[in-house]
Amino acid sequence: MPVFAVGIPKPGLAAAASAGITFLDNNECRYGGAGRKPPGDRSARQKGWCDMARWMLIVGAVLVVVLIVGTILAFALATAKKQRAGQDPTTLVRVTRVVAIVWAGFAAIGAVIALLTALLAPGVAITMPIREFWPQLPDTVTLDVDTARRVSGGFTEATLTLEELDPTARVLWALSQALAWGIPGFVAVFVAIACSRLLVGAAFAPVVAKMAVTTGAVIMLGGIAAQVMGDIAGTIASMQFFGARSGSWSGDFPGIDNAFDAWFPSPTVLVTFPFWPIAVGLAFAVLGAILRYGSRLQNDVKGLV
């Protein structure tokens, strides 16, 4: 799905600016993408938040790379050691537990960073739905394309960094981003608990079965909530930023009757209901039932011995 990326100028808007077109928007939402100079009255505190958000993103990216590389090396070393020494699979289980604990901690930190950045930073990077849009060029402009040619379709969403976003949209977007980090972290906690029980010979312990059901509920409810809240926040932002109330332009553009329709997207409402969290949640519920059944069988076997 095509997306307007921050820092990629839309040719229609650039042409509008050079032609003297003026957009008058009654709302207070402003675009804070690349190339936009910060306003002169921006306080030092706002600049500090921008720098902090930038450094948090850099640190997060570095941690992701380190975690992925470390996981690959850990599994590779554990597998090689097992093949050389003929050891039991407990080494792999221990490595998996360590990786799960590290990932759970990393996910918790990422959730907190995502929440605070979306709530406190002056600019919020948010994805918004728009009506299918493709910038229209004047008849005097020719675009030479040697390979693929557009037949139909256009952009249906835009990812922009916005300032002075509606507080409701900001809060909903922050919660959706925090949930997107927290759900994988909760799965990692379940993996760590299961590995710990397996190492002590209690793979069918009741706590594992309860944790599997709880994890399924978290994935089901959290996944749906994250998607719906993110879509609602994007819709509010779309209405606030793209919902221009009035405007004017000067100059003639051959083949273009309305510069706004040709160069400025229109907002739309889009809230989707995801079904994958339900499927994954039911799968974990079934896993919990299997673990409870295994626990009963294990107790029956102990009673017969």
Side-chain angles (χ1 to χ4, degrees):
M1 183 178 295
V3 177
F4 282 140
V6 176
I8 301 178
K10 290 181 281 186
L13 295 180
S18 62
I21 296 178
T22 303
F23 294 97
L24 302 178
D25 193 354
N26 292 339
N27 57 49
E28 297 297 330
C29 187
R30 298 193 303 234
Y31 172 54
R36 179 181 181 273
K37 295 183 179 180
D41 58 350
R42 174 174 292 177
S43 64
R45 179 172 177 270
Q46 288 178 316
K47 292 181 180 179
W49 272 113
C50 288
D51 295 337
M52 181 181 296
R54 186 180 300 110
W55 277 109
M56 285 190 297
L57 291 175
I58 295 174
V59 172
V62 173
L63 289 177
V64 168
V65 174
V66 171
L67 182 62
I68 293 175
V69 174
T71 303
I72 294 174
L73 290 177
F75 275 103
L77 292 175
T79 303
K81 183 178 179 181
K82 178 185 172 182
Q83 291 177 351
R84 290 195 306 265
Q87 296 177 345
D88 56 36
T90 56
T91 302
L92 183 59
V93 176
R94 289 193 180 95
V95 172
T96 303
R97 182 178 61 177
V98 172
V99 172
I101 293 174
V102 172
W103 177 250
F106 177 74
I109 296 174
V112 173
I113 292 176
L115 181 67
L116 294 179
T117 301
L119 288 177
L120 303 178
V124 181
I126 185 171
T127 301
M128 302 166 287
I130 56 175
R131 293 182 184 178
E132 188 174 285
F133 170 77
W134 188 260
Q136 180 182 355
L137 296 177
D139 294 340
T140 55
V141 178
T142 302
L143 180 63
D144 296 328
V145 180
D146 296 332
T147 54
R149 294 182 180 273
R150 173 179 172 270
V151 177
S152 61
F155 303 102
T156 57
E157 66 179 31
T159 301
L160 303 174
T161 299
L162 301 180
E163 293 180 342
E164 300 180 12
L165 185 62
D166 182 88
T168 302
R170 181 183 284 264
V171 171
L172 290 175
W173 184 255
L175 292 176
S176 68
Q177 299 306 296
L179 284 173
W181 277 93
I183 292 174
F186 203 89
V187 175
V189 172
F190 166 72
V191 173
I193 293 176
C195 290
S196 298
R197 294 292 87 194
L198 183 60
L199 289 173
V200 298
F204 296 104
V207 65
V208 180
K210 292 179 181 178
M211 193 63 186
V213 176
T214 303
T215 302
V218 169
I219 293 175
M220 183 183 300
L221 299 178
I224 294 174
Q227 181 69 47
V228 173
M229 287 192 298
D231 287 348
I232 294 176
T235 297
I236 296 175
S238 178
M239 294 296 178
Q240 186 181 3
F241 181 73
F242 292 109
R245 302 296 186 268
S246 61
S248 62
W249 70 88
S250 62
D252 295 328
F253 307 95
I256 295 179
D257 298 328
N258 190 311
F260 294 102
D261 295 338
W263 294 327
F264 199 74
S266 299
T268 188
V269 176
L270 178 63
V271 179
T272 57
F273 186 88
F275 290 97
W276 69 265
I278 299 176
V280 177
L282 292 177
F284 271 91
V286 172
L287 176 61
I290 294 174
L291 293 173
R292 285 195 299 269
Y293 181 72
S295 178
R296 287 197 296 267
L297 288 180
Q298 192 176 47
N299 293 333
D300 293 342
V301 171
K302 290 180 179 179
L304 295 175
V305 175

